[in-house]
């Protein structure tokens, strides 16, 4: 068996695989471009004076860490779509006598080749968007030419995207357990336990206590940043721990109250795999978490700076923090929208037989598509509202003062989150079953 030849046969452009291939390459291109633009923005802070760098570089690092999650989800979703688009071909190879290691090699090579094309396209997209990104202002002046990264960083980013694709493909194949009968098998997924909710409540209380007594816990700026970063990290862990449980409870409630076929089918689609439903909207929850805490902090700094001027770099810090929060939210929602489109496409391909069977039984495509949209937007709305409330409780005094002293800043953050949810809703139209499955016929 010529592994490279079969990998080319799976990866070459074809009418029946055109939609998944375009989505996969686009996803990798977006991952590369976003990664390079964010790194370019962080790199531009090195032109500031030493004292300002001591504040801006840790904040930039914090933003990069926050964006790792949606970028990895997007990359993993692209790898999963690539695998699901080829699952029948891979299973056919197994029926013809190919070994498991040969199948893995073919899938990983094919996914890496697709990722390489996407990553190189992402470099081009980064260079095309860099002039626009260079107009973003920090410290009272545009970033300018500092947005452009050295060539070795571009090469490292391409390598990182290809490596992510290979790892995701290998992990995805292990989860799919490709055997001659793999396409026909299905597994029941356990419902997350209530213990997750109990741990979450305890974690929120600990974080609230920590942030309330921050001045007593940390005596220096460096220690304050460490405590805040640690608190955010713990908050993100709690967020991902309780997310599947929250999604499953919301779906169970919707299932009991379902009055239309769309509502019933959407609830069942969520309950089929709450963890997978959560992964699709985890970026939305993270954005809400960051929006409340970051927006409250920026609002209070804006209110303080309006009263006290030092005629130093510090005068620009409040506005720059708000700019950073809004940029982080915008990039997060772009990644979430893209990963939602990719994941929904993979899910539609995965459930092709179910959709076709329902259609033969008389259910129209519009009803199935409405159920699919609800299966994403219901968890997205639940996650954004729940974690906005949770993060508000964490910084309750600060959030209250922010609304009083800088309502415009708070309103700007809220509008950004709402626009992000609209973007997610628009993005998943690419995975309409009638359109996507027609390309396979």
């Amino acid at each position: 068996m010529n592994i490279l030849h079969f990998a080319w046969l799976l990866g070459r452009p074809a009418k029946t695989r055109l939609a998944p291939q375009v989505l996969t390459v686009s996803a990798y291109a977006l991952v590369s471009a976003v990664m390079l633009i964010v790194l370019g923005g962080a790199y531009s802070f090195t032109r500031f004076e030493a004292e300002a760098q001591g504040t801006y570089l840790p904040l930039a690092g914090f933003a990069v860490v926050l964006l790792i999650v949606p970028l990895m989800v997007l990359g993993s979703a692209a790898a999963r779509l690539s695998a699901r688009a080829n699952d029948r071909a891979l299973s056919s190879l197994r029926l013809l006598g190919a070994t498991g290691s040969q199948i893995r090699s073919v899938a990983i090579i094919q996914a890496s080749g697709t990722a390489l094309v996407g990553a190189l396209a992402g470099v081009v997209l980064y260079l095309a968007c860099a002039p626009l990104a260079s107009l973003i202002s920090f410290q009272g002046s545009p970033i300018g030419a500092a947005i452009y990264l050295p060539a070795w960083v571009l090469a490292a980013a391409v390598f990182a995207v290809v490596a992510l694709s290979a790892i995701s493909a290998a992990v995805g194949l292990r989860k799919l357990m490709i055997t001659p009968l793999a396409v026909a098998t299905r597994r029941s997924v356990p419902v997350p336990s209530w213990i997750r909710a109990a741990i979450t409540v305890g974690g929120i209380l600990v974080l609230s206590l920590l942030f309330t007594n921050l001045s007593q816990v940390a005596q220096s700026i460096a220690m304050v940043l460490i405590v805040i970063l640690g608190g955010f990290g713990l908050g993100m862990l709690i967020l991902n721990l309780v997310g599947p449980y929250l999604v499953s409870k919301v779906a169970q409630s919707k299932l009991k109250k379902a009055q239309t076929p769309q509502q019933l089918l959407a609830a069942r689609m969520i309950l089929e795999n709450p963890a997978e439903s959560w992964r699709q909207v985890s970026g939305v929850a993270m954005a809400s978490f960051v929006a409340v805490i970051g927006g409250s902090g920026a609002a209070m700094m804006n209110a303080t700076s309006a009263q006290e001027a030092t005629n130093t770099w510090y005068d620009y810090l409040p506005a720059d923090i708000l700019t950073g929060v809004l940029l982080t939210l915008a990039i997060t929602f772009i990644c979430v929208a893209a990963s939602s489109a990719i994941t929904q496409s993979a899910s539609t391909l995965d459930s092709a037989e179910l959709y076709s069977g329902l259609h033969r039984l008389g259910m129209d495509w519009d009803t199935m598509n409405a159920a699919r949209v609800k299966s994403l937007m219901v968890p997205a709305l639940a996650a954004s509202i729940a974690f906005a409330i949770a993060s508000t409780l964490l910084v309750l005094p600060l959030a209250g003062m922010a609304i009083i002293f800088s309502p415009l800043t708070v309103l700007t953050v809220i509008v950004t989150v709402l626009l992000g949810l609209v973007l997610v809703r628009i993005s998943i139209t690419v995975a309409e079953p009638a359109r996507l499955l027609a390309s396979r016929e």
Side-chain angles (χ1 to χ4, degrees), residues 294-344:
S296 297
M300 286 307 301
M301 292 193 71
N302 272 329
T304 303
S305 64
Q307 301 173 358
E308 300 177 4
T310 61
N311 295 320
T312 64
W313 64 269
Y314 187 80
D315 291 340
Y316 296 101
L317 183 60
D320 288 349
I321 288 179
L322 178 59
T323 299
V325 169
L326 294 178
L327 287 174
T328 301
L329 290 177
I331 294 173
T332 297
F333 275 113
I334 289 173
C335 293
V336 171
S339 62
S340 297
I342 296 292
T343 305
Q344 284 286 303

Side-chain angles (χ1 to χ4, degrees), residues 104-177:
R104 282 190 291 272
S105 298
V106 169
I108 291 173
I109 292 173
Q110 185 271 328
S112 299
T114 304
L116 178 60
V117 174
L120 293 176
V123 173
V124 175
L125 181 60
Y126 154 70
L127 294 175
C129 295
L132 182 62
S134 67
L135 299 178
I136 298 173
S137 179
F138 285 100
Q139 282 292 295
S141 62
I143 294 175
I147 192 69
Y148 294 99
L149 293 164
W152 68 268
V153 178
L154 303 183
V158 171
F159 175 79
V161 171
V162 174
L164 172 64
S165 169
I167 294 172
S168 298
V171 173
L173 283 172
R174 187 183 64 185
K175 290 180 178 179
L176 292 173
M177 298 171 58

Side-chain angles (χ1 to χ4, degrees), residues 16 56 59 61-62 64 67 105 141 151 189 205 220 290 392 394 411 420:
T16 56
Y56 277 80
L59 291 174
F62 182 43
V64 171
L67 291 172
S105 298
S141 62
V189 180
L205 291 175
S220 64
V290 173
T392 300
L394 286 179
L411 181 62

Side-chain angles (χ1 to χ4, degrees), residues 87-355:
D87 58 357
R88 292 185 179 181
L90 294 173
S91 294
S92 298
L93 290 177
R94 283 289 278 143
L95 283 170
L96 293 173
T99 65
S101 60
Q102 289 175 326
I103 294 297
R104 282 190 291 272
S105 298
V106 169
I108 291 173
I109 292 173
Q110 185 271 328
S112 299
T114 304
L116 178 60
V117 174
L120 293 176
V123 173
V124 175
L125 181 60
Y126 154 70
L127 294 175
C129 295
L132 182 62
S134 67
L135 299 178
I136 298 173
S137 179
F138 285 100
Q139 282 292 295
S141 62
I143 294 175
I147 192 69
Y148 294 99
L149 293 164
W152 68 268
V153 178
L154 303 183
V158 171
F159 175 79
V161 171
V162 174
L164 172 64
S165 169
I167 294 172
S168 298
V171 173
L173 283 172
R174 187 183 64 185
K175 290 180 178 179
L176 292 173
M177 298 171 58
I178 292 182
T179 67
L181 300 177
V183 178
T185 60
R186 293 291 184 267
R187 294 184 298 117
S188 59
V189 180
V191 177
S193 170
W194 61 269
I195 296 176
R196 294 171 180 253
I199 295 175
T200 299
V201 172
I204 291 176
L205 291 175
V206 171
L207 286 176
S208 180
L209 191 63
L210 179 66
F211 287 147
T212 302
N213 299 282
L214 186 61
S215 60
Q216 299 177 11
V217 175
Q219 302 297 327
S220 64
I221 295 179
M223 184 57 80
V224 168
L225 287 175
I226 291 174
V227 172
I228 292 176
L229 289 175
F232 261 90
L234 180 58
M236 295 302 297
L237 288 175
I238 293 173
L239 182 150
N240 282 288
L241 180 66
V242 75
Y245 176 79
L246 172 66
V247 166
S248 67
K249 299 307 290 185
V250 171
Q252 288 173 359
S253 175
K254 294 293 183 181
L255 183 63
K256 294 177 181 178
K257 300 177 182 178
Q259 297 180 347
T260 64
Q262 297 94 319
Q263 294 173 344
L264 179 63
L265 187 57
R268 294 303 305 171
M269 291 170 71
I270 297 171
L271 289 173
E272 182 180 1
N273 194 336
E276 177 63 28
S277 296
W278 165 249
R279 277 192 291 272
Q280 295 185 59
V281 301
S282 58
V284 176
M286 187 195 75
S288 298
F289 188 78
V290 173
V292 173
I293 297 180
S296 297
M300 286 307 301
M301 292 193 71
N302 272 329
T304 303
S305 64
Q307 301 173 358
E308 300 177 4
T310 61
N311 295 320
T312 64
W313 64 269
Y314 187 80
D315 291 340
Y316 296 101
L317 183 60
D320 288 349
I321 288 179
L322 178 59
T323 299
V325 169
L326 294 178
L327 287 174
T328 301
L329 290 177
I331 294 173
T332 297
F333 275 113
I334 289 173
C335 293
V336 171
S339 62
S340 297
I342 296 292
T343 305
Q344 284 286 303
S345 298
S347 178
T348 299
L349 292 174
D350 194 28
S351 304
E353 293 182 1
L354 173 62
Y355 283 122

